[in-house]
Every structure is written in C-alpha cells, then in structure tokens.
Amino acid sequence: MLKYCSIGSGSSGNCHYVGYKDTNILVDAGLSGKRITTGLNDIEVDIDKIKGIFITHEHSDHIKGAGIISRKFDIPIFANIKTWCSMKDKIGDIKDSNMKVFENDKTYSLGDLIIRPFSIPHDSEDAVGYNFYAGTNDKISIATDIGQITDNIRKHLYKSRLVVLESNYDPNMLMMGSYPYALKRRVMSEEGHLSNEDAGKFCIELVKEGTERILLAHLSKENNFPELAYETSKGILAQNNIIVGQDIKLDVLSRNEVSDVYKL
C-alpha cells in the first residue's frame, strides 16, 4: 500500500512523507527538525525508519531541517548535483556517505520504492518534482514550485493516481498585496509559482488522464488562502463538467497541520 502524508505545505516550509511496505522517505525538510519528528510521530512513523530525504531544490522552505535531521538520525540526503552545490553550505556538514546524487529524469529504486525525479521550471539551480511507484499501476506524484506546466511535467504527472500540485497564489491578491513589484513579477514568471487558476486548468488534464485525487499544495501565506484555492479549482472543474466528490477528490494541504494519510 503506497502512502502519502503532508507534514506541512506552504511558503513557510514544506515536508512530505511517502511510504511503501518497509520503505519510508521524506520529500524536502523545510520545517524544524522537531516539527518533522513530531509530525511523523503523529502518523506513527518512527523517524529512525526514514531511509532518505529527497530534495526538490535549495530554497530554505524546502531544506531548513534537512541537515539537522541527517546528522541526528544518520539519514541520507538525495539531490542532483546543481542542488547539492547550491545547498551544501546552507545545511551544514553532511557525512560523505549520506550525500547522494541523482540525475534528473532517470528512475531509481530505494528499498521497495521506485523513484523518478523530473525537471521542473523554477528560479533555482535545478528544481525537480518526483514520481513514486509501487508496482506497475500505483503512482503518486509531487510537483510544487512550478512556474508553468511544461510537456515534461505533463509526461510525468499523467496517469498518477494521486497528485500533489502547487496552487500558490491568487493573482488579484498578489497584485494588491505588499510584495515589491520585482517579487510580484518573479512569482508570476514562468520560473516562479503556479496560480490557483493555472492549477485548476491543469486539474482538468489530470482528471482526464486518470488521476483520482488532487492535493493542492504550497499555498502562499500572503497571497492565497485555502478556501479560495479550493473553490477556484472546483469551479474550473465544474465548468468542464467534472464534479468534485464524484469525478475527482480534491483537498488542500495545510501550512501548519499534518494531513490525513492518503493510501493507494
């Protein structure tokens, strides 16, 4: 049974749990070590059983707790070479044996899990999303911090039974908010973040390609709120004759609370 849980998801910090049989991993560790440990305890996962931390990119809301957890619990950290070069000084000393390097768009195995990192557009050195496979049919995908939906993202997210998809900001809230104009342009750029509207439009494609559940993630604290993200995607889906609760299950991941454990 393939399992997913969000320990926290938002502009303030991100950490995802994925498990299958005896293999348990984290995607990102952008929260405090204590909060990650407590979150795993809440879902009855012993952090000593975590076999690896897989990093999407080097921004602090994705790596803040990675070094601490790796040193304290002797857990390997997996990232591509450009991300390693950019984050190494930010996370402190890591044992050579725990510094694992992968190549994007290639498939790897760790214990019982099959893992595939894939390239995504974001203003970092070399950001990735992830596919996780259990057997031939069960597939979970995580894609946040994406400025636009590319063909490579489509290729990797299609046929996923569960997708964690960024729904970062509402354009009106962003433009009326307090961010400097340069930062607003960055967020809206093709290497920035995905808006609620763009997430909703892509949800249509995912449903048509077999996705059963979508979890909207990485909401901005300043430029979004959960009800707005949810209703935006729900409305766009409804306009295309896709009914939430009937044709697709739709949820929003919390910034501060541990999510349900979703099981395939």
Side-chain angles (χ1 to χ4, degrees):
M1 183 181 295
L2 193 55
K3 296 179 289 185
Y4 168 83
C5 176
S6 170
I7 307 302
S9 178
S11 55
S12 304
N14 300 273
C15 182
H16 312 265
Y17 161 80
V18 177
Y20 179 58
K21 293 184 178 178
D22 294 325
T23 304
N24 302 286
I25 63 99
L26 298 178
V27 177
D28 290 333
L31 306 169
S32 69
K34 180 179 180 181
R35 185 171 162 195
I36 292 171
T37 303
T38 300
L40 290 172
N41 286 337
D42 289 347
I43 60 171
E44 299 181 344
V45 173
D46 188 339
I47 196 167
D48 288 318
K49 301 289 180 64
I50 297 295
K51 294 185 180 296
I53 304 168
F54 286 77
I55 303 297
T56 59
H57 64 291
E58 71 277 7
H59 292 165
S60 62
D61 59 324
H62 296 263
I63 65 168
K64 184 165 48 181
I68 296 167
I69 289 176
S70 177
R71 286 186 290 274
K72 186 172 182 179
F73 299 101
D74 195 27
I75 299 174
I77 299 176
F78 295 78
N80 59 42
I81 188 64
K82 289 184 179 180
T83 298
W84 263 117
C85 290
S86 184
M87 76 175 178
K88 192 173 185 306
D89 291 340
K90 301 176 184 178
I91 63 175
D93 293 334
I94 303 297
K95 284 171 38 176
D96 288 347
S97 61
N98 281 336
M99 296 175 62
K100 307 293 186 180
V101 179
F102 60 67
E103 294 182 42
N104 297 4
D105 304 304
K106 291 190 175 183
T107 302
Y108 302 87
S109 61
L110 179 66
D112 301 301
L113 269 176
I114 305 298
I115 301 164
R116 185 176 177 89
F118 57 91
S119 299
I120 61 175
H122 191 53
D123 58 352
S124 59
E125 287 298 325
D126 197 5
V128 298
Y130 287 100
N131 300 135
F132 299 97
Y133 299 89
T136 56
N137 295 320
D138 289 340
K139 173 183 172 184
I140 286 174
S141 298
I142 297 174
T144 65
D145 298 78
I146 44 180
Q148 58 178 316
I149 301 298
T150 63
D151 287 342
N152 196 49
I153 289 175
R154 288 184 171 92
K155 170 186 172 183
H156 286 92
L157 265 60
Y158 284 178
K159 310 303 180 187
S160 303
R161 289 184 63 193
L162 182 152
V163 173
V164 178
L165 179 68
E166 176 171 64
S167 188
N168 181 257
Y169 69 96
D170 173 76
N172 292 327
M173 288 184 68
L174 176 65
M175 293 309 297
M176 295 297 291
S178 61
Y179 279 9
Y181 183 65
L183 181 54
K184 293 177 181 180
R185 289 192 62 184
R186 170 192 168 253
V187 170
M188 293 187 294
S189 75
E190 293 184 346
E191 293 187 340
H193 291 279
L194 206 65
S195 71
N196 293 341
E197 287 83 355
D198 288 337
K201 291 174 183 177
F202 187 52
C203 285
I204 299 168
E205 296 184 44
L206 292 175
V207 174
K208 291 179 178 179
E209 292 292 334
T211 298
E212 300 168 9
R213 185 183 291 273
I214 298 170
L215 307 178
L216 301 177
H218 205 290
L219 274 65
S220 170
K221 183 178 180 180
E222 293 80 9
N223 303 308
N224 208 352
F225 55 92
E227 295 83 1
L228 180 56
Y230 180 86
E231 291 298 334
T232 300
S233 282
K234 180 181 177 182
I236 291 172
L237 288 164
Q239 290 169 9
N240 289 270
N241 300 314
I242 299 170
I243 306 305
V244 170
Q246 176 179 308
D247 303 311
I248 184 68
K249 295 177 181 177
L250 182 70
D251 294 303
V252 180
L253 297 178
S254 171
R255 179 179 296 105
N256 299 314
E257 296 180 4
V258 177
S259 75
D260 292 338
V261 177
Y262 298 93
K263 301 176 182 180
L264 301 183

